[in-house]
Amino acid sequence: MDGMIASAKKDVLVEIVKLAQKREMKGNQGGWKDFLKFYDKKFGSSLSDPAKRSADVLAAFLKTFSQKEDLKIFEKVLQCHSNRDAVLEFQKSSADTESPEQRLVRLTLENPQYPVDYSFPSHEEGWLITKRSKKSKVMQSTEMLAVDCEMALCDDGTEALIRVCAVDRNLKVKLDEFVKPSKAIVDYRTDITGITATDLDGVTCSLADVQRSLKKLLSHGKILVGHSLYNDLRALQIDHPRVIDTAYVFKYRDEPPNRRPSLSNLCKFVLGFELRKKGSPHNCLDDACAAMKLAIEKVEHDVDNVIPFVREKVQEEVQMAKLLVHRVPVVVSSEDLHKVISGEFTVEVKTNKKPRGDRYSAFAIFENQQAATEAFEKLDGILEKDTSGRPQKLVSFELDTGVSGSLCVCKMARHDSCKSNNASTKRPLQDEEPLGESKKSRTDHQGEELEKTNTTATSDQCETHLKEIERLKRELSQRDQEIANLKEIELLKRELSQRDQEIANLNKIVVALTRKQGL
């Protein structure tokens, strides 16, 4: 592994270090910033951008890792680059014969985020790695298969596959299966997935069954198509080398590359139709067909890969009709949130690419901004502001089931008094798919960037409050114990006093008897 790192190009090392930062990985000298403080006495962590560090410094940091799991992740990033290089080399040697389908594969592989997003832990048990052949016939294959999945939230904060659909180039359905989850589900996210627990009654199809079916469908160099496809592949636990990701191929005009168009916007601007009605749940068969149509439109008509970014007032009003609910214990289902927050609303559960284990985030979506504001005002909790000036409350609760705890509720708009003071820090609401977002935790809405900006800050603040609450609970518990001990001491004192009195009485009796006998 050290040899591979030493021979890697700087841009590759930069991506690996950024991935290590993103996943909060630590070597024997800590994380990236800890390493810099130790390694560079002059600048330390003040110069922490990996791109501004030399290849030697980057390699030195990566060599501090020795755990097998960490090395496997780094090896996977290097493998992604190797896969990319193989495709690019093939393209150079046969540039005149590159098909439109192969070009889209190349565009996907050339995206700066590809090595990060597609660096799956495929070394782990249960993953399927399709054959990586470099034969000319396989590399020249133009057959395509589009896939889309629906996932539910598990009790450990991860996601489980509950439905998968795949269509061929002619939009013929090749696979449409409900999938029996291997973990306990706490939320089917029906508002988004359209799937309930009842839909899975009697389902016997497993993830392994789906993998076997897709292995057959993906043979002979077939290209896999999807929108933010890495999320689907992660749910499927499949590592496939030839992919077309429409979230990579298309982009917004005059917007940073990390702001990815939603599938709904691509259907609207590229294909000319609405993918789904406002408020309707996802349908993975429709989404798979939409991804294939986008690929075909690019292949057959070479449509512009840039679409306009339009911020509509109506869309912003929809965004303001939400409350961000975060640091929610996983034992609290989306239905339980209705017992904590008043009013009529639907719940859109969000999950992180890196699960937090016992917590998750969600949006409470109301009919309008006034309803969201009223629900927020009725909440009984500690009122504060996040770093962007948005009001939030730390709310303690106790459910009828006996479950108790705390969560944070944040408004998606500032108070009027905060607007002028914080205008420079506010990030615009975007209709997009930000980097690292979990695909099925969205409804093609604005505010994903806002949620990413605020969740960390608000979570840190709430984390501080939660720690303070835990500390106070421990103090109260200690005091209760001390009080109990004092009560026990008082009881013993009374018992001793009674016994002393009894002994004194007995002594009097003995003295009296002695006197009588002396007489």
Side-chain angles (χ1 to χ4, degrees):
M1 187 65 190
D2 288 349
M4 296 174 67
I5 290 175
S7 60
K9 298 177 182 178
K10 181 183 174 180
D11 61 332
V12 179
L13 296 176
V14 169
E15 288 182 1
I16 298 176
V17 172
K18 286 184 177 180
L19 179 64
Q21 284 183 287
K22 189 173 183 179
R23 300 192 178 188
E24 300 178 358
M25 299 168 64
K26 295 182 179 181
N28 55 36
Q29 293 178 8
W32 170 240
K33 291 187 177 181
D34 297 324
F35 167 80
L36 290 178
K37 292 177 183 178
F38 172 82
Y39 187 86
D40 187 347
K41 302 298 183 183
K42 183 177 180 180
F43 295 105
S45 61
S46 61
L47 187 61
S48 60
D49 184 354
K52 295 181 180 180
R53 289 289 186 168
S54 68
D56 291 339
V57 175
L58 300 172
F61 169 65
L62 296 176
K63 289 178 181 178
T64 65
F65 290 84
S66 58
Q67 295 295 321
K68 183 178 179 181
E69 294 299 312
D70 295 335
L71 297 178
K72 285 287 186 180
I73 292 174
F74 296 158
E75 184 180 350
K76 182 59 188 175
V77 179
L78 293 170
Q79 188 181 61
C80 283
H81 277 279
S82 176
N83 181 40
R84 173 196 283 178
D85 293 341
V87 171
L88 296 180
E89 188 63 33
F90 180 79
Q91 188 271 335
K92 289 179 182 178
S93 63
S94 56
D96 297 336
T97 60
E98 184 183 42
S99 68
E101 293 86 354
Q102 293 165 359
R103 177 172 173 270
L104 294 187
V105 172
R106 178 167 57 81
L107 286 176
T108 298
L109 297 179
E110 287 177 343
N111 190 287
Q113 277 298 120
Y114 170 77
V116 176
D117 291 337
Y118 284 85
S119 294
F120 305 123
S122 51
H123 59 279
E124 295 179 356
E125 184 179 357
W127 275 77
L128 168 66
I129 303 177
T130 56
K131 190 175 182 181
R132 283 179 165 77
S133 175
K134 295 182 181 180
K135 293 181 180 179
S136 177
K137 184 177 179 181
V138 172
M139 295 290 282
Q140 290 177 341
S141 173
T142 59
E143 292 188 58
M144 297 187 293
L145 182 80
V147 68
D148 193 85
C149 302
E150 300 293 349
M151 285 81 81
L153 181 67
C154 302
D155 60 358
D156 61 357
T158 61
E159 291 181 321
L161 179 71
I162 54 176
R163 189 185 178 191
V164 56
C165 293
V167 297
D168 64 11
R169 190 173 187 137
N170 298 317
L171 304 183
K172 181 180 179 181
V173 179
K174 308 299 290 186
L175 184 66
D176 186 357
E177 293 283 355
F178 285 105
V179 184
K180 182 179 179 180
S182 58
K183 300 179 181 179
I185 301 298
V186 294
D187 203 318
Y188 286 89
R189 302 187 296 190
T190 305
D191 293 342
I192 301 171
T193 65
I195 298 172
T196 65
T198 305
D199 293 323
L200 300 183
D201 286 346
V203 171
T204 58
C205 180
S206 67
L207 175 60
D209 295 328
V210 172
Q211 288 177 332
R212 281 191 288 270
S213 298
L214 285 173
K215 183 178 181 180
K216 293 178 182 178
L217 293 170
L218 292 172
S219 60
H220 308 299
K222 191 168 292 183
I223 301 168
L224 193 57
V225 179
H227 190 80
S228 293
L229 181 60
Y230 53 88
N231 287 305
D232 300 294
L233 291 177
R234 191 174 293 111
L236 293 165
Q237 293 187 20
I238 293 178
D239 195 344
H240 187 67
R242 305 193 71 212
V243 296
I244 295 174
D245 194 328
T246 53
Y248 284 2
V249 173
F250 296 92
K251 61 182 179 180
Y252 282 125
R253 180 178 290 117
D254 302 324
E255 289 294 312
N258 64 320
R259 294 180 180 175
R260 301 175 187 167
S262 66
L263 187 59
S264 290
N265 268 356
L266 289 178
C267 287
K268 180 179 179 180
F269 289 104
V270 179
L271 302 177
F273 72 89
E274 295 288 344
L275 179 60
R276 60 179 64 87
K277 293 182 180 179
K278 177 184 174 182
S280 298
H282 290 196
N283 183 308
C284 64
L285 182 56
D286 291 342
D287 289 0
C289 289
M292 180 60 80
K293 288 177 181 178
L294 287 168
I296 292 173
E297 193 71 11
K298 187 67 179 172
V299 166
E300 297 182 355
H301 303 290
D302 195 22
V303 294
D304 191 357
N305 65 342
V306 178
I307 68 171
F309 176 76
V310 180
R311 182 183 301 129
E312 300 179 12
K313 184 178 180 181
V314 173
Q315 292 174 326
E316 292 189 5
E317 290 176 353
V318 170
Q319 177 60 28
M320 294 304 103
K322 298 179 180 179
L323 295 177
L324 171 62
V325 190
H326 58 108
R327 292 207 57 79
V328 185
V330 294
V331 294
V332 178
S333 68
S334 59
E335 289 77 14
D336 290 332
L337 293 180
H338 289 275
K339 301 174 183 176
V340 180
I341 304 173
S342 64
E344 295 292 328
F345 60 90
T346 58
V347 178
E348 175 191 332
V349 177
K350 303 180 65 57
T351 54
N352 295 309
K353 188 173 180 180
K354 181 178 180 181
R356 296 185 179 180
D358 60 346
R359 300 275 174 172
Y360 70 92
S361 300
F363 280 120
I365 306 174
F366 294 81
E367 183 178 358
N368 52 51
Q369 182 178 354
Q370 181 180 354
T373 301
E374 289 177 355
F376 182 83
E377 296 301 328
K378 290 179 180 179
L379 284 171
D380 184 14
I382 302 173
L383 179 63
E384 57 187 12
K385 293 178 183 177
D386 69 3
T387 55
S388 295
R390 292 174 176 81
Q392 69 171 4
K393 288 183 179 181
L394 174 63
V395 180
S396 297
F397 62 86
E398 184 171 355
L399 303 176
D400 296 338
T401 57
V403 174
S404 62
S406 302
L407 52 80
C408 289
V409 181
C410 181
K411 292 181 70 174
M412 300 303 289
R414 298 179 179 85
H415 284 310
D416 291 340
S417 60
C418 301
K419 289 182 179 178
S420 59
N421 296 333
N422 295 286
S424 62
T425 61
K426 180 179 179 181
R427 299 186 67 177
L429 302 179
Q430 307 292 351
D431 188 1
E432 62 193 34
E433 291 185 0
L435 290 177
E437 181 196 10
S438 181
K439 179 178 180 182
K440 296 307 172 185
S441 63
R442 58 168 172 79
T443 52
D444 297 325
H445 59 275
Q446 279 115 23
E448 296 300 319
E449 279 296 310
L450 172 64
E451 194 266 348
K452 287 180 68 179
T453 303
N454 292 333
T455 297
T456 300
T458 53
S459 293
D460 289 343
Q461 293 172 358
C462 286
E463 183 72 31
T464 301
H465 287 305
L466 291 172
K467 287 181 179 179
E468 181 66 15
I469 290 173
E470 290 300 322
R471 185 184 67 80
L472 291 173
K473 284 182 178 180
R474 288 195 296 271
E475 288 186 1
L476 287 172
S477 178
Q478 291 173 356
R479 290 178 182 178
D480 288 342
Q481 186 61 45
E482 290 173 358
I483 291 171
N485 291 338
L486 289 173
K487 288 180 178 179
E488 182 68 20
I489 291 171
E490 289 299 323
L491 178 62
L492 291 173
K493 283 182 177 180
R494 286 196 295 271
E495 290 182 357
L496 288 172
S497 177
Q498 290 174 356
R499 291 183 181 180
D500 287 342
Q501 186 61 46
E502 291 173 357
I503 291 172
N505 292 335
L506 289 172
N507 285 334
K508 289 179 181 179
I509 293 172
V510 169
V511 170
L513 290 172
T514 302
R515 286 176 179 174
K516 282 183 178 182
Q517 291 176 356
L519 294 174

